Amino acid sequence: MPERPARSFPGRPVADRLSLSMRASHLLVVLLVVAGLALAALGSALGDTFYLRLATEALIYAGLALSVDILLGYTGLLSLGQALYFGIGAYVSALTLMAVPSFWLALLAASGATLVAALIGGVIANRVRGVYFALITFGLAQVVAKVVYNTRELGASDGMIGVPVVEVPLGPFHVSTGSAPGFLLVALALLVLLYAVSAYLLDTPFGRVLIALKANERRVAFLGYSTWRARMAAYVLAALVAGLSGALYPMLRGFVSPELLYFQVSGNAVITVVVGGVGTLVGPIYGAILLTVLKSVIGSWTEHQLIVIGVLFMASVLFLPQGLIGLLRPRLARWLGRAEPPPAKAAEAEARP
Amino acid sequence: MNRTLLLGAAAALALGGWTAAAQAADPIKIGVDTPLSGTYTPIGQQVRWGLELAAKEINAAGGIAGRQVELVFEDSEANPSVAVQKAEKLYQVDNVDFLTGTVNSGATLAVGQVADRNKKLLATSVSFADSITGAKCSPNVFRVNAKAGQQSAALAVWLKQQKADAKVFYLGPDYEMGRSTVAAFKEAAEGVGAKTAGEVFAPLDTKDYTQYFGQIRQARPDVIYTSVAGNDTVRLFTQMQDFGLLDNVQVVGASGTVTSQNIKAIGSAANGYVTGVGYSPLIDTPANKTFVKAFNAAYKTDPDLYGADSYGLLFAYKKAVEAAGSTDTDAVRKALEGLSWDTPQGKKTIRAGDHQAVTDMYVVQVKDGKFVVADSIEGDKAIGPDACTRF
């Protein structure tokens, strides 16, 4: 048996600050799941459908925000066109469902199409950095949106209606996409899965390379890592997260329209990430829920809801550099960290006789 | 003991009577899912004014079947995704049985599907895509305004009256809607014997239309049809005037090409322009004069077709609910099918086969910077065949 490097705490890996913050994020996701289950139970007890379906929509947009955060928060790439993959996922899912009403096939087709699109888009967008990357992603999404807007086979400007309500086979269970609490749980499960996969991948050495890319891309190359490959992988991962989230949209609302590909959707996702907390993965999820609910509630009593969102966005940028989740997560991380002494102190403790 | 029983019975009776009275006096809520912000705000504003004026008049006259009308507004932001969410809210949280106000055709189609799934009704007074009461018709969706096909059919009938075999040149904006409006009018015009001199599609927001003028001049058209809109119309018309292209040519177009919003900017270049519409504030009937006067008194501006069609819609709903005796979806749907009612622009009838209102069409012409009614076309001549197969 090869000798393993000595650890400060035998049998118990010491968590650095990053892992502690991630653990705090996980805890917040668990909280979200509990809240989601409670909401589904409460909603079905009260016979509500509107609020449950609004929550489902919020979770769908949360997936899109998660995708933006993978790029912006980890790799440091600002994408202004993430609606492209959200929209591709939605359109392909809608087309598949209208041909063959199968939930899993729709998800499969949507992720396949998103993968192909992301590989093409990634090759184009990853040639440049910084503001040029933002502009290229913006341009790509606009081009595809215009093409969809003008393609009669895709419903052109009117979009496509008539996406059927389908059954979601989940092992021994069946949930209909038309059942408000049932589909809320499906959306929640998919979001948690996307979160878990992203969080896992970002915690691997690959994830650390991404964080290094954000800090200083030139040095990463000197360390012997391929920056292009890492950026590309992050881009494709983010696109898949967006595409799979988008695939749920037509199942919920029964239609797709070119507006799903517009800058408004991409821009909203960026705002969501900034308000929620950049680079926290869980922040954008809470941000999406907050903004979707806020928009719906405020929108009902004033048509100036965008002013409220705008003020919230500016306030977040000015006063909450870590977003709303930044108010909570560091405390949670500290609390988690108190359970085990921080590495420096641990090493100190070990050095003492 | 006896007394308490009696008191209890009296209380129960009173309470029962009170709830019954409350039910009869419960307002009828109507959902309005219309753009109050964004690009289509001016249209949403007209929809709102038209509906509010109608509601005020109906309520002053005793309401619908003795119940007051209450309008519940939601901002659709002219985005189908938002409109659908708001429609669900109106149907499920506000419990409205009847919804209107959708503007862009995509929103009307998507909200129509929400109406279907909630077993409630939707009527649009604005969207004009033929598919709404055609290929994508729905049993729960009605349209009280003129669809695109009616507008082009009316214009084509007028064209035939003016010059039987006119040579028409088509200039449309290069996007799906522009191409489909041109295709629709071309079909209508060729149907009445007009010849096609040529066609060209210019990108949206074209700054310089003169690049197409050589092509137009060479084709020597009698008539130029265009379906550009907004500021594009301003540039196209003024440039055509500068290049002398408007001499001896009749310019016709879609109803949204020259509007009260851009007519001032176009100036004298708009003179002579002709289009087919379902409404004009200048229609010379007593009913319309009263309506325009009331609208002006309330909102200090003239109603446009959106305001007028929305105003008229509420009276159709009133008549249908009173005939049906309830606001129940199936009963009201049945009452609306084939319903004839009076509106500012004359009698309208909802065709039972596709839920499209048959309405008299008007040909309006710009004279000295103002629209005047040049002609009217009977509703039956412009309605076209029933293309709905779903019900």
Side-chain angles (χ1 to χ4, degrees), chain A:
Chain A
M1 198 172 156
E3 209 183 345
R4 296 177 62 168
R7 271 191 181 137
S8 45
F9 265 94
R12 194 176 174 198
V14 162
D16 56 15
R17 269 178 55 208
L18 196 67
S19 315
L20 276 179
S21 313
M22 275 323 288
R23 255 186 245 170
S25 285
H26 299 338
L27 209 62
L28 288 167
V29 169
V30 172
L31 197 69
L32 179 78
V33 172
V34 173
L37 289 172
L39 183 71
L42 188 72
S44 52
L46 295 176
D48 169 77
T49 51
F50 170 72
Y51 289 104
L52 289 180
R53 286 165 66 80
L54 185 68
T56 314
E57 189 172 298
L59 292 180
I60 291 173
Y61 285 120
L64 176 64
L66 183 66
S67 132
V68 170
D69 197 31
I70 293 172
L71 288 176
L72 184 63
Y74 282 82
T75 328
L77 299 169
L78 172 62
S79 166
L80 294 180
Q82 215 55 14
L84 170 62
Y85 302 109
F86 185 77
I88 288 176
Y91 266 84
V92 171
S93 162
L95 287 168
T96 313
L97 287 171
M98 286 198 279
V100 187
S102 156
F103 174 80
W104 293 112
L105 189 68
L107 282 197
L108 196 71
S111 38
T114 315
L115 182 69
V116 174
L119 287 172
I120 299 169
V123 167
I124 299 169
N126 277 322
R127 293 165 61 86
V128 289
R129 276 151 191 74
V131 70
Y132 304 102
F133 177 86
L135 287 177
I136 286 214
T137 49
F138 170 77
L140 280 174
Q142 288 298 99
V143 167
V144 175
K146 280 283 163 204
V147 169
V148 171
Y149 188 83
N150 284 315
T151 306
R152 194 167 288 186
E153 288 69 27
L154 294 176
S157 58
D158 290 345
M160 292 186 291
I161 58 168
V163 179
V165 170
V166 294
E167 289 291 319
V168 185
L170 296 163
F173 304 107
H174 272 265
V175 177
S176 162
T177 55
S179 139
F183 195 56
L184 172 71
L185 295 181
V186 171
L188 183 65
L190 184 74
L191 180 69
V192 170
L193 185 73
L194 291 176
Y195 169 83
V197 171
S198 312
Y200 171 76
L201 285 176
L202 292 172
D203 206 29
T204 59
F206 158 72
R208 300 297 160 112
V209 174
L210 294 186
I211 296 168
L213 276 179
K214 187 184 178 188
N216 191 328
E217 188 170 337
R218 284 194 191 166
R219 287 200 187 169
V220 174
F222 282 111
L223 289 173
Y225 292 101
S226 160
T227 58
W228 187 86
R229 208 181 294 163
R231 279 162 55 114
M232 193 67 187
Y235 188 84
V236 172
L237 171 69
L240 279 174
V241 170
L244 278 168
S245 306
L248 293 187
Y249 188 85
M251 300 176 190
L252 177 71
R253 296 300 188 194
F255 81 102
V256 283
S257 74
E259 278 84 355
L260 292 174
L261 292 143
Y262 280 8
F263 174 65
Q264 207 186 357
V265 176
S266 305
N268 259 336
V270 174
I271 292 176
T272 307
V273 171
V274 172
V275 169
V278 182
T280 60
L281 288 188
V282 74
I285 295 176
Y286 279 96
I289 294 166
L290 178 77
L291 285 193
T292 309
V293 172
L294 214 57
K295 260 183 143 176
S296 173
V297 172
I298 300 174
S300 290
W301 55 266
T302 169
E303 59 268 27
H304 304 301
Q305 79 273 20
L306 288 179
I307 296 178
V308 178
I309 306 286
V311 168
L312 189 68
F313 175 65
M314 286 193 287
S316 299
V317 171
L318 289 175
F319 305 115
L320 298 170
Q322 292 189 62
L324 289 174
I325 220 75
L327 290 174
L328 193 63
R329 202 174 70 140
R331 266 168 229 177
L332 209 57
R334 261 204 303 281
W335 177 73
L336 284 172
R338 210 168 295 153
E340 48 189 298
K345 273 194 187 155
E348 218 177 294
E350 212 165 57
R352 274 189 210 143

Side-chain angles (χ1 to χ4, degrees), chain B residues 133-213:
Chain B
T133 48
K136 292 177 187 163
C137 62
S138 145
N140 290 12
V141 177
F142 291 82
R143 170 161 48 197
V144 295
N145 58 305
K147 58 179 176 174
Q150 279 163 286
Q151 293 171 0
S152 41
L155 193 56
V157 169
W158 177 83
L159 193 65
K160 190 188 175 187
Q161 287 168 5
Q162 298 299 307
K163 194 171 191 314
D165 44 3
K167 271 167 78 180
V168 187
F169 192 93
Y170 301 89
L171 194 160
D174 193 10
Y175 71 118
E176 210 277 329
M177 270 275 288
R179 285 183 179 263
S180 60
T181 43
V182 165
F185 183 69
K186 200 168 162 183
E187 199 187 320
E190 284 177 350
V192 297
K195 290 188 183 66
T196 299
E199 65 176 27
V200 67
F201 291 94
L204 280 175
D205 259 340
T206 296
K207 300 282 180 268
D208 179 13
Y209 282 95
T210 59
Q211 52 186 317
Y212 307 109
F213 289 174

Side-chain angles (χ1 to χ4, degrees), chain B residues 58-83:
Chain B
I58 289 173
N59 285 340
I64 296 178
R67 293 166 67 184
Q68 295 282 294
V69 178
E70 189 188 321
L71 301 172
V72 187
F73 288 91
E74 285 284 352
D75 182 7
S76 73
E77 298 171 33
N79 181 340
S81 307
V82 179

Side-chain angles (χ1 to χ4, degrees), chain B residues 13-352:
Chain B
L13 258 172
L15 205 72
W18 182 76
T19 25
Q23 254 167 8
D26 255 359
I28 293 183
K29 286 206 245 175
I30 295 173
V32 188
D33 193 3
T34 205
L36 301 172
S37 67
T39 332
Y40 292 127
T41 312
I43 300 180
Q45 185 65 70
Q46 280 279 341
V47 170
R48 181 176 196 148
W49 282 339
L51 290 169
E52 281 180 342
L53 184 61
K56 205 169 76 188
E57 288 177 8
I58 289 173
N59 285 340
I64 296 178
R67 293 166 67 184
Q68 295 282 294
V69 178
E70 189 188 321
L71 301 172
V72 187
F73 288 91
E74 285 284 352
D75 182 7
S76 73
E77 298 171 33
N79 181 340
S81 307
V82 179
V84 159
Q85 195 204 90
K86 302 287 182 169
E88 284 203 346
K89 184 170 195 183
L90 288 165
Y91 282 137
Q92 290 164 8
V93 180
D94 296 304
N95 274 315
V96 304
D97 292 318
F98 188 73
L99 192 70
T100 182
T102 52
V103 166
N104 38 336
S105 303
T108 300
L109 288 165
V111 171
Q113 186 169 273
V114 176
D116 275 357
R117 291 186 180 174
N118 283 280
K119 301 190 172 53
K120 301 283 177 83
L121 296 175
L122 167 75
T124 180
S125 54
V126 177
S127 303
F128 58 84
D130 289 331
S131 59
I132 294 166
T133 48
K136 292 177 187 163
C137 62
S138 145
N140 290 12
V141 177
F142 291 82
R143 170 161 48 197
V144 295
N145 58 305
K147 58 179 176 174
Q150 279 163 286
Q151 293 171 0
S152 41
L155 193 56
V157 169
W158 177 83
L159 193 65
K160 190 188 175 187
Q161 287 168 5
Q162 298 299 307
K163 194 171 191 314
D165 44 3
K167 271 167 78 180
V168 187
F169 192 93
Y170 301 89
L171 194 160
D174 193 10
Y175 71 118
E176 210 277 329
M177 270 275 288
R179 285 183 179 263
S180 60
T181 43
V182 165
F185 183 69
K186 200 168 162 183
E187 199 187 320
E190 284 177 350
V192 297
K195 290 188 183 66
T196 299
E199 65 176 27
V200 67
F201 291 94
L204 280 175
D205 259 340
T206 296
K207 300 282 180 268
D208 179 13
Y209 282 95
T210 59
Q211 52 186 317
Y212 307 109
F213 289 174
Q215 207 179 332
I216 296 176
R217 217 180 267 276
Q218 206 172 21
R220 293 180 187 285
D222 305 311
V223 174
I224 296 174
Y225 172 87
T226 182
S227 56
V228 298
N231 288 332
D232 284 354
T233 314
V234 179
R235 286 189 287 267
L236 173 66
F237 278 44
T238 49
Q239 287 167 15
M240 284 207 293
Q241 189 183 36
D242 291 345
F243 279 71
L245 228 68
L246 294 177
D247 307 336
N248 306 320
V249 170
Q250 173 66 52
V251 182
V252 301
S255 65
T257 298
V258 177
T259 62
S260 55
Q261 276 138 36
N262 62 13
I263 194 165
K264 279 206 183 78
I266 303 170
S268 62
N271 285 340
Y273 169 82
V274 164
T275 188
V277 292
Y279 177 77
S280 156
L282 300 162
I283 296 169
D284 198 12
T285 60
N288 187 47
K289 280 187 171 155
T290 322
F291 166 63
V292 173
K293 211 172 143 197
F295 198 95
N296 258 301
Y299 311 115
K300 316 265 175 301
T301 179
D302 272 348
D304 63 14
L305 68 161
Y306 311 120
D309 285 324
S310 305
Y311 173 87
L313 168 67
L314 228 49
F315 290 92
Y317 186 62
K318 173 181 156 75
K319 201 169 173 184
V321 170
E322 285 174 354
S326 79
T327 57
D328 173 68
T329 299
D330 291 330
V332 175
R333 183 197 298 116
K334 210 157 168 254
L336 277 171
E337 286 174 347
L339 182 86
S340 279
W341 81 106
D342 291 313
T343 71
Q345 62 257 60
K347 199 175 254 323
K348 286 189 190 179
T349 306
I350 292 177
R351 186 155 70 171

